[in-house]
C-alpha cells in the first residue's frame, strides 16, 4: 500500500501562483508513475500532469501547458505541482496519484493509489 497526502492548496487571485506537494509513504520502494488530476464541482476528474518516477519524463494537459510544472524529489518521496499564471478555471480539488508503472500514465483508471485532495480556488 502507498499513502499519498497532498498539501499546498488555498485561495489565490488570478495571475498568482501556488505549489502543491504530495508526500508518499508506505510501500514506496519500486517504480511508480505519478500524476496530478483535478475535479471541479459537478465535473469529472481530469488529467493535469504526469511524470515518470525514473528519468523525469513529463506530460501535461493542453490547458495547463506552459503554466504548470510537475516535478519530484525521489529522496523525499514527494511530488510537486508548481502552478503559475493561475486562472479562475483552474479552481478545483487537486489530487495526486500513483501507478505501479514504468511509463507515463495519463488515464486516471490506470492509477492505483490516490490522495485525499487539496482545494485550489482562484478568484477573478
Amino acid at each position: 500500500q502507498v499513502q499519498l497526502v497532498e498539501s499546498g492548496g488555498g485561495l489565490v487571485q488570478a495571475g498568482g501562483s501556488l505549489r502543491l506537494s504530495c508526500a508518499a509513504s508506505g510501500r514506496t520502494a519500486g517504480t511508480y508513475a505519478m500524476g496530478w488530476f483535478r475535479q471541479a464541482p459537478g465535473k469529472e476528474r481530469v488529467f493535469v500532469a504526469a511524470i515518470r518516477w525514473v528519468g523525469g519524463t513529463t506530460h501535461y494537459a493542453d490547458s495547463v501547458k506552459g503554466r504548470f510544472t510537475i516535478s519530484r524529489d525521489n529522496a523525499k518521496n514527494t511530488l510537486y505541482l508548481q502552478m503559475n499564471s493561475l486562472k479562475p478555471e483552474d479552481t478545483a480539488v487537486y489530487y495526486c496519484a500513483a501507478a505501479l508503472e514504468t511509463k507515463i500514465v495519463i488515464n486516471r483508471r490506470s492509477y492505483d493509489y490516490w490522495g485525499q485532495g487539496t482545494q485550489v480556488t482562484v478568484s477573478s
Side-chain angles (χ1 to χ4, degrees), residues 2-111:
V2 174
Q3 292 79 44
L4 304 172
V5 179
E6 302 97 334
S7 61
L11 173 64
V12 64
Q13 288 188 332
S17 298
L18 282 174
R19 189 175 83 153
L20 306 183
S21 299
C22 173
S25 61
R27 190 174 291 180
T28 56
T31 301
Y32 288 90
M34 302 289 294
W36 287 99
F37 289 75
R38 67 186 182 187
Q39 187 168 16
K43 297 188 176 180
E44 288 190 350
R45 191 173 300 186
V46 297
F47 170 77
V48 173
I51 188 169
R52 290 183 67 183
W53 202 247
V54 177
T57 304
T58 58
H59 185 77
Y60 298 91
D62 287 343
S63 58
V64 306
K65 202 172 293 183
R67 299 188 298 122
F68 290 10
T69 303
I70 188 172
S71 62
R72 81 280 186 260
D73 185 329
N74 289 355
K76 295 182 178 180
N77 287 327
T78 302
L79 178 73
Y80 302 100
L81 185 68
Q82 178 67 44
M83 305 185 296
N84 298 329
S85 302
L86 282 162
K87 305 175 181 180
E89 51 263 43
D90 294 318
T91 295
V93 177
Y94 283 71
Y95 298 88
C96 72
L100 192 58
E101 292 280 358
T102 58
K103 61 185 186 299
I104 286 273
V105 178
I106 297 174
N107 188 336
R108 63 183 173 91
R109 293 177 176 80
S110 297
Y111 280 89

